[in-house]
Amino acid sequence: MSNNTPMMRQYLEIKSQHPDAILFFRLGDFYEMFMEDAVTASRVLGLTLTSRNKGAVEQVPLCGIPYHSSQGYIARLIDNGFKVAICEQVEDPKDAKGIVKREVVQVVTPGLVVDSDNLQPKENNFLLALAVAEGEHFGLSCVDITTGVFRLTECRGMEELRSEISNLNPREILVADEELTATACGRLKPLFAERLINRLPEWVFEPDRARRLLLDFFGVANLQGFGCEHLHLGVRAAGAVLHYLQQTRQGALDHIRSLSPYACADYLILDAATRRNLELTATQGDGRKKGSLLGVMDRTLTAMGGRKLRHWINYPLNDAGQIRARLQAVGELRDKSMLRGDLRESLDGVYDLERLGARIAMAGAGAKDLVGLRTSLEKLPAILNLLGELEAPLLTHLAAAIDPLEDVRDLIAEALVDDPPFVLREGGLIRDGFNAELDELRLISREGKGWIARLEQQERERTGIGSLKVRYNKVFGYYIEITKTHLARVPEDYQRKQTLVNAERFITPALKEYENKVLGAEERIQALEYDLFQEVRAQVAVQGARLQATADALAELDVLLGLADLAHEADYVCPRIDESTVLHIEDGRHPVVERMNLGERFVPNDVLLDTEEHQLLIITGPNMAGKSTFMRQVALITLMAHLGSFVPARAARIGLVDRIFTRVGASDNLASGQSTFMVEMTETANILHNATTRSLIILDEIGRGTSTFDGVSIAWAVAEYLHDHAPVAAKTLFATHYHELADLALTCKRVKNWNVAVREWNDQVIFLRKIVKGGASHSYGIQVARLAGIPPAVVERAKEVLRNLEAGEFSAEGRPALARGRGRPQAPSPQLSLFDPGSDALRRKLEDIDVSVLTPLEALNVLDGLKKMV
Ligand SMILES: Nc1ncnc2c1ncn2[C@@H]1O[C@H](COP(=O)(O)OP(=O)(O)OP(=O)(O)O)[C@@H](O)[C@H]1O
């Protein structure tokens, strides 16, 4: 095929507008790709590359895929990071010269993760735009394509930005091209790992343009109504998001109805490392929900409730009033078990109204979706009745926000049958009685079918052929089939249409006349049903805002019910929230570990942290004793309280916390070119720079990633800094195997020592899991190594080395000198000397001295000589 054909000219024109997308060009039942698109597609999808030669000047590579299987191919391209622009025939297919016109109807990009079945956006399709200004000031705007939730915020500093990006977890980030190359943004690169970066021209982020675009889109005179007029950077980012969506979604944006600003400071801040370390929504090992805090807390019944709980965990509140309102609601629901059970029963089976609403607005919802909406809405009166019996202000507020949408429910009930087919164009969607024209057509169709059945009987009698049949196929429509043995009796007026091996097929003028009537009516029925369905869907779409508000309230109710259920079943207690800086947990438990049923009863522990006496707790104890579990449980209980949940404890007083920092375990970030120790130090630096009086810090074995002396020194200095850096005095839990750190309490008055108790019995350690006052003296690492299955020979040798080290500690250079002395560690052999050869000479000289015969002056001279030797 030449690149000078009308189609290629069309292709090149569209390609010039979408240079970074692979164009899927609709040709009848196929999508074709041309030129470099074909080359890429054939490489990624394993398709055969061809080129057609019709005497053309230049050959064009091309490859094609059938329309019916295209969605899987498109999804694969998207998964591989490509963008696809789908070009379909337009309504009025031919231009003046009779050439079929095509245009882009949809651009699918990796940010808009699509379902391979229907190319509809999948869950959590966050597309994020980032606007950058001087002084590490960032504007962020993100949209969830599936729900139409469009938000913006601003943040300062790399840490806040990192936290926000990890929290939103967008697949695609839009940035101005120039900003990406600027030096400040060089530091952003690790943040962008594994996400698709889409560079847009600078003008897309231009403030006036962005603002104007938003005003036009929402049809408002200013952005004050959304409360974001003053967020200039955020507005720039929001304008870029909207620009990009308009380019790629081709107008399917009706479900985006507002823009909501939020401030990072409105929430308890959790940075990316903390979210990962505390395994809030996924485990560190396999990234699954099971085994995470969300896994334990999620008792929601609806998909929208599940999403809301995830959001609450990622964005815990930091306003005491709002937290107490949630706790009060959870408390009432927990206490009223019967009512809670009834409410949960009513809520069970309610569809994901949030996404359904968005699909309806985008005209992507099918008849089954609308029927699902109707059955969900039918449950609302019962839910509202039950809510009427509750008193907590938040629950009353939710009841007021739930709109039963009776008009929508009745409209769908009147219009659609209870079990419509998936395929809209097949008909069978609309109820009898909904539309007079449809009823009439159905009558004709039904009568026609009856007539055809009667005709069969009539013709059998007329011809005397008992086996005569009236049949139908797509090629001939209705026909009469007669087996060969009866052909002699075929009447004159039968017209032969087809000869088969055993039979012949005929039509008659009367049959064809009726057929036209019946089939005409059926075609009309299908078209009319489709139109009527679209009308109903459009009428429901108009009520989208009411539907979204109801969905939001139901989701919140679902979360509160789930939290109440959990509180009841797992014996949680209502935390006391106040504005103090005290954290006091009595008999606290780790919400996840206590449920893991590891064959060991979970031992509860107390903790008291404040800014006066108990600011920094040094926690020592053997390996495997439970230090990390204890510290994590304090962080998790604090976080659970902030999101409005009851907590696993006997009692808890939680003074508001502004941030939770954690530095736990080893995590390489090789992708960003950082070693394990470097990551550890970077995270520690972040904590030291950003902690406030209200922060909670969890430090697990700081400094273990380097040599022992360096590690102890760093750990000591970090702890001292956190203590001395008044007036910050951030509450800190500091677990360590450096028992020397216990001495900090001698000079730092807000430092206290605790350890996780163990008992030694027959060379075995018994873990008591109880936090007790004071520092630990042993790490019992070797015993734990034996428990882990280290070969006995290695364990024995380790004990031997340990004994010698304990006797001599370190060489003058700080090395464990006994490492050289295998075999006879305790023999007084020169090989095992704790001193170096130079020191041996010193020792010999010392041994030679007879103190009893030396005068004081001689003694001084000898001393001087020894000093010189040193
Ligand atoms: N309070 C507890 N009650 C019951 N089991 C516990 C408790 N705390 C911890 N455990 C169990 O002990 C295991 C080890 O705990 P953890 O990892 O907290 O020890 P650690 O002291 O931090 O060890 P290391 O110093 O080796 O990192 C946990 O996986 C858990 O199964």
Side-chain angles (χ1 to χ4, degrees):
M1 186 184 293
S2 144
N3 62 5
N4 204 21
T5 60
M7 189 164 62
M8 280 314 294
R9 281 200 295 276
Q10 228 177 66
Y11 165 80
L12 291 170
E13 191 188 327
I14 299 179
K15 187 74 186 171
S16 69
Q17 291 151 11
H18 297 272
D20 53 347
I22 294 179
L23 301 195
F24 269 51
F25 229 59
R26 181 70 178 270
L27 280 173
D29 285 343
F30 275 81
Y31 279 122
E32 300 246 325
M33 286 144 276
F34 306 111
M35 305 177 86
E36 73 258 34
D37 292 348
V39 177
T40 311
S42 77
R43 177 172 51 79
V44 178
L45 304 174
L47 301 171
T48 315
L49 198 61
T50 56
S51 65
R52 273 184 226 141
N53 186 354
K54 288 189 178 165
V57 187
E58 202 179 325
Q59 293 307 305
V60 173
L62 61 96
C63 62
I65 46 174
Y67 171 75
H68 65 84
S69 57
S70 60
Q71 299 189 340
Y73 285 110
I74 295 173
R76 264 169 64 200
L77 284 171
I78 303 307
D79 274 350
N80 280 284
F82 292 97
K83 207 188 232 188
V84 172
I86 301 166
C87 312
E88 296 282 357
Q89 260 174 241
V90 288
E91 289 282 308
D92 177 16
K94 300 207 172 163
D95 67 8
K97 292 182 199 139
I99 295 167
V100 178
K101 279 198 292 185
R102 289 173 195 80
E103 61 186 37
V104 175
V105 293
Q106 191 181 11
V107 179
V108 198
T109 82
L112 311 177
V113 190
V114 285
D115 200 321
S116 61
D117 287 343
N118 53 15
L119 289 189
Q120 288 300 316
K122 275 206 274 197
E123 197 170 325
N124 289 341
N125 264 268
F126 287 111
L127 173 70
L128 182 123
L130 180 65
V132 186
E134 293 283 300
E136 295 196 341
H137 190 188
F138 304 100
L140 286 104
S141 175
C142 65
V143 67
D144 181 344
I145 299 298
T146 45
T147 59
V149 173
F150 189 16
R151 302 194 299 158
L152 66 83
T153 192
E154 291 185 2
C155 58
R156 283 195 180 272
M158 295 300 290
E159 260 323 304
E160 254 182 54
L161 178 65
R162 197 191 308 274
S163 162
E164 227 15 62
I165 291 184
S166 93
N167 198 15
L168 294 167
N169 198 16
R171 282 273 304 263
E172 188 170 358
I173 301 178
L174 313 174
V175 201
D177 202 10
E178 291 78 353
E179 276 162 3
L180 247 196
T181 45
T183 6
C185 281
R187 294 177 55 203
L188 295 176
K189 293 226 169 93
L191 290 184
F192 294 158
E194 290 172 31
R195 307 178 204 278
L196 181 94
I197 302 303
N198 227 317
R199 295 152 175 253
L200 300 184
E202 180 84 12
W203 55 263
V204 172
F205 287 83
E206 201 264 305
D208 284 345
R209 186 187 182 278
R211 190 170 167 276
R212 219 173 323 111
L213 197 67
L214 292 165
L215 295 181
D216 288 350
F217 179 79
F218 290 113
V220 291
N222 57 50
L223 295 174
Q224 268 156 11
F226 296 130
C228 45
E229 188 73 76
H230 60 292
L231 297 167
H232 303 295
L233 262 182
V235 166
R236 281 174 54 194
V241 166
L242 187 58
H243 164 87
Y244 187 72
L245 285 178
Q246 286 178 333
Q247 295 288 303
T248 55
R249 300 294 299 172
Q250 309 301 322
L253 300 176
D254 290 351
H255 61 312
I256 299 178
R257 297 196 182 83
S258 72
L259 180 62
S260 10
Y262 71 100
C264 300
D266 292 344
Y267 302 99
L268 189 165
I269 300 173
L270 301 162
D271 53 51
T274 298
R275 239 178 238 126
R276 195 180 55 238
N277 293 335
L278 293 180
E279 304 191 304
L280 295 187
T281 53
T283 55
Q284 272 186 291
D286 53 12
R288 290 194 344 203
K289 174 177 154 188
K290 189 165 184 257
S292 69
L293 180 66
L294 177 65
V296 168
M297 293 187 78
D298 191 358
R299 296 187 169 217
T300 55
L301 298 161
T302 65
M304 49 192 179
R307 279 195 304 276
K308 183 154 292 267
L309 176 64
R310 184 183 285 269
H311 182 75
W312 283 17
I313 290 178
N314 277 326
Y315 289 94
L317 299 172
N318 68 2
D319 177 286
Q322 287 177 24
I323 299 172
R324 283 192 208 111
R326 284 187 188 171
L327 287 171
Q328 193 182 352
V330 172
E332 190 180 5
L333 290 170
R334 184 198 60 163
D335 296 344
K336 298 183 175 164
S337 301
M338 292 271 281
L339 205 62
R340 184 177 77 243
D342 292 347
L343 267 170
R344 278 172 68 82
E345 206 174 301
S346 304
L347 205 57
D348 203 4
V350 168
Y351 267 52
D352 187 347
L353 299 185
E354 227 172 21
R355 294 212 187 286
L356 204 58
R359 277 214 298 282
I360 292 170
M362 292 190 287
K368 282 208 183 289
D369 288 332
L370 289 197
V371 172
L373 172 60
R374 189 202 82 201
T375 50
S376 301
L377 295 179
E378 279 164 357
K379 289 167 173 269
L380 299 192
I383 291 175
L384 284 169
N385 260 342
L386 292 166
L387 276 177
E389 293 178 40
L390 293 160
E391 282 157 19
L394 181 56
L395 296 171
T396 327
H397 170 79
L398 288 182
I402 294 173
D403 181 341
L405 289 146
E406 283 127 344
D407 47 339
V408 172
R409 180 196 66 198
D410 294 347
L411 170 68
I412 302 173
E414 274 168 34
L416 299 185
V417 297
D418 288 343
D419 189 16
F422 278 105
V423 184
L424 295 177
R425 298 240 179 226
E426 271 178 9
L429 313 168
I430 307 289
R431 270 188 207 284
D432 284 341
F434 181 68
N435 178 279
E437 189 187 347
L438 183 66
D439 289 348
E440 207 179 303
L441 286 167
R442 280 183 175 158
L443 196 68
I444 296 172
S445 161
R446 268 198 295 273
E447 279 192 347
K449 281 184 183 152
W451 183 86
I452 284 165
R454 281 198 302 279
L455 178 82
E456 190 176 76
Q457 193 50 37
Q458 205 179 299
E459 291 300 301
R460 279 182 187 169
E461 283 164 14
R462 176 156 84 102
T463 58
I465 307 171
S467 60
L468 177 148
K469 287 203 170 65
V470 178
R471 289 202 156 126
Y472 173 84
N473 75 20
K474 281 197 174 155
V475 183
F476 300 123
Y478 286 100
Y479 56 85
I480 298 168
E481 191 171 287
I482 296 177
T483 51
K484 288 226 162 124
T485 42
H486 299 108
L487 283 181
R489 279 193 259 166
V490 169
E492 287 282 297
D493 57 335
Y494 278 24
Q495 298 165 16
R496 181 174 289 112
K497 268 313 238 190
Q498 194 184 17
T499 303
L500 306 177
V501 182
N502 297 323
E504 299 226 341
R505 290 173 174 175
F506 301 88
I507 54 167
T508 67
L511 184 61
K512 282 296 127 179
E513 192 184 318
Y514 244 89
E515 180 190 291
N516 288 341
K517 211 168 172 184
V518 175
L519 293 186
E522 282 191 351
E523 240 169 57
R524 272 292 299 139
I525 288 170
Q526 284 178 5
L528 185 58
E529 283 207 52
Y530 186 67
D531 290 348
L532 288 169
F533 170 76
Q534 282 193 309
E535 264 171 44
V536 170
R537 188 171 59 189
Q539 282 182 47
V540 176
V542 174
Q543 306 305 330
R546 288 167 65 202
L547 182 59
Q548 287 295 353
T550 298
D552 197 53
L554 288 172
E556 187 155 341
L557 176 63
D558 191 12
V559 176
L560 293 169
L561 282 165
L563 293 180
D565 210 49
L566 177 68
H568 170 78
E569 190 256 325
D571 196 20
Y572 286 2
V573 70
C574 183
R576 196 176 119 206
I577 304 286
D578 59 31
E579 312 270 348
S580 74
T581 50
V582 176
L583 269 186
H584 189 188
I585 300 170
E586 292 170 58
D587 279 346
R589 291 144 15 222
H590 191 297
V592 181
V593 176
E594 77 161 341
R595 302 183 79 83
M596 285 192 325
N597 193 14
L598 299 170
E600 186 182 347
R601 191 184 62 86
F602 193 89
V603 179
N605 273 305
D606 298 348
V607 72
L608 171 62
L609 278 162
D610 56 33
T611 46
E612 307 298 324
E613 297 279 307
H614 309 88
Q615 183 220 328
L616 197 152
L617 309 189
I618 302 278
I619 297 158
T620 45
N623 289 103
M624 277 290 287
K627 300 181 294 299
S628 308
T629 307
F630 168 70
M631 294 198 303
R632 285 188 164 106
Q633 100 191 12
V634 173
L636 289 174
I637 289 175
T638 306
L639 183 137
M640 288 169 82
H642 278 74
L643 69 90
S645 165
F646 281 29
V647 296
R650 187 164 51 79
R653 177 184 175 195
I654 310 284
L656 282 185
V657 165
D658 65 351
R659 291 183 77 141
I660 298 179
F661 291 100
T662 57
R663 161 81 288 273
V664 174
S667 57
D668 278 310
N669 195 348
L670 300 178
S672 70
Q674 292 188 315
S675 72
T676 308
F677 182 62
M678 190 63 188
V679 172
E680 181 184 335
M681 288 299 107
T682 312
E683 288 180 11
T684 309
N686 169 41
I687 296 173
L688 299 183
H689 287 304
N690 295 308
T692 75
T693 314
R694 291 211 162 274
S695 304
L696 171 65
I697 305 174
I698 306 291
L699 298 174
D700 201 352
E701 297 186 39
I702 286 286
R704 72 167 169 188
T706 184
S707 78
T708 316
F709 278 14
D710 284 359
V712 176
S713 319
I714 291 171
W716 182 283
V718 165
E720 221 172 45
Y721 181 89
L722 286 168
H723 177 269
D724 295 346
H725 198 55
V728 170
K731 294 177 285 293
T732 307
L733 294 174
F734 197 133
T736 183
H737 285 289
Y738 300 136
H739 299 146
E740 299 81 347
L741 295 193
D743 290 351
L744 272 164
L746 301 176
T747 50
C748 302
K749 80 175 179 59
R750 292 189 300 278
V751 172
K752 297 286 174 292
N753 283 307
W754 289 81
N755 74 88
V756 192
V758 290
R759 199 171 287 153
E760 224 178 325
W761 185 72
N762 272 352
D763 196 28
Q764 307 251 354
V765 239
I766 299 167
F767 298 112
L768 302 179
R769 313 284 187 210
K770 202 72 194 165
I771 295 279
V772 292
K773 275 195 176 146
S777 53
H778 281 77
S779 273
Y780 296 98
I782 296 176
Q783 281 84 344
V784 174
R786 187 180 55 201
L787 284 179
I790 296 285
V794 178
V795 171
E796 283 314 308
R797 172 71 184 132
K799 280 187 190 165
E800 199 174 49
V801 174
L802 177 67
R803 270 197 301 276
N804 292 321
L805 278 173
E806 280 174 350
E809 290 294 341
F810 299 97
S811 72
E813 285 78 28
R815 288 191 206 100
L818 285 192
R820 283 184 279 128
R822 296 187 55 153
R824 287 171 294 138
Q826 275 159 344
S829 138
Q831 285 171 307
L832 292 177
S833 170
L834 284 172
F835 299 91
D836 62 18
S839 306
D840 279 351
L842 198 66
R843 176 193 286 227
R844 277 196 298 279
K845 181 100 183 154
L846 269 170
E847 280 168 353
D848 290 343
I849 297 169
D850 183 358
V851 188
S852 59
V853 296
L854 290 183
T855 65
L857 191 62
E858 281 167 343
L860 271 179
N861 283 333
V862 170
L863 193 58
D864 189 43
L866 287 172
K867 214 170 164 225
K868 285 196 178 106
M869 276 180 80
V870 170

